[in-house]
């Protein structure tokens, strides 16, 4: 499910403080594939990233989170899409296009698997449809 982007346990919302999720669409320009991660506790696929503390720079914090959670170094190329979902009480999810630079894959305790897939295969792994604008963007990066 696309809303399972970050561990549900991580999503404890503090009253009156917005919760922001930064999610990396990590693209390997050589293989033309995107990295997805399977959440250990939910057996759901997501883009790597996570909760960013209010007031922190989302883009630079995402770069750190991806390194911590996957072992990969990326270049953050900028935000490409944002959405809120009512079932998440106004959680703001911001998707960033990230270019894979280097590094060796490693699993953090939150993920049970990392997988590189072509952009048009991503939706086959998620339990929920991607937003049409996000889907259109993903298909265009091939």
């Amino acid at each position: 499910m696309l809303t399972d982007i970050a561990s549900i346990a991580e999503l404890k919302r503090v009253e009156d403080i917005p919760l922001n999720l930064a999610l990396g669409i990590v693209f390997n320009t050589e293989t033309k594939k995107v990295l997805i991660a399977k959440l250990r506790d939910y057996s759901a696929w997501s883009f790597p990233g996570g909760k960013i503390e209010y007031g922190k720079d989302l883009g630079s914090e995402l770069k750190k989170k991806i390194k911590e959670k996957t072992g990969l170094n990326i270049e953050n190329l900028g935000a490409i899409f944002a959405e809120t979902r009512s079932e998440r009480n106004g959680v703001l999810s911001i998707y960033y296009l990230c270019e894979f630079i280097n590094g060796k894959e490693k699993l953090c305790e939150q993920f049970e698997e990392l997988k590189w897939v072509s952009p048009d295969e991503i939706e086959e792994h998620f339990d929920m449809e991607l937003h049409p604008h996000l889907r259109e963007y993903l298909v265009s990066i091939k």
Side-chain angles (χ1 to χ4, degrees):
M1 175 182 233
L2 188 57
T3 58
D4 288 325
I5 302 291
S7 167
I8 301 302
E10 232 185 14
L11 297 179
K12 293 179 181 161
R13 183 178 166 87
V14 177
E15 193 172 325
D16 298 328
I17 297 178
L19 180 58
N20 299 314
L21 295 179
L23 307 162
I25 297 172
V26 180
F27 186 67
N28 184 322
T29 57
E30 290 180 19
T31 64
K32 307 293 187 214
K33 294 194 174 187
V34 173
L35 182 68
I36 58 175
K38 191 170 191 178
L39 295 165
R40 186 175 308 280
D41 294 338
Y42 303 98
S43 292
W45 290 94
S46 71
F47 296 110
K51 180 176 81 169
I52 307 296
E53 231 179 272
Y54 183 74
K56 298 262 185 174
D57 181 74
L58 296 169
S60 61
E61 290 296 309
L62 173 64
K63 190 173 181 176
K64 289 178 197 172
K65 285 207 177 280
I66 289 175
K67 175 67 175 176
E68 290 169 8
K69 293 182 176 188
T70 68
L72 304 178
N73 296 304
I74 56 108
E75 180 66 33
N76 185 338
L77 302 178
I80 57 168
F81 183 73
E83 69 179 339
T84 59
R85 294 202 177 247
S86 58
E87 67 269 19
R88 306 267 310 269
N89 290 328
V91 172
L92 175 63
S93 298
I94 304 170
Y95 299 81
Y96 290 82
L97 180 61
C98 303
E99 181 179 350
F100 166 73
I101 302 298
N102 61 30
K104 183 175 174 156
E105 288 180 22
K106 72 169 182 130
L107 288 174
C108 68
E109 61 184 54
Q110 181 184 1
F111 298 143
E112 70 179 60
E113 183 180 353
L114 297 174
K115 187 175 198 178
W116 292 93
V117 297
S118 67
D120 54 357
E121 295 175 327
I122 291 171
E123 217 164 4
E124 296 171 18
H125 292 82
F126 289 83
D127 294 341
M128 189 173 139
E129 282 187 34
L130 297 172
H131 187 282
H133 295 302
L134 184 56
R135 181 184 320 114
E136 183 180 324
Y137 186 85
L138 287 169
V139 171
S140 75
I141 64 172
K142 293 205 260 187

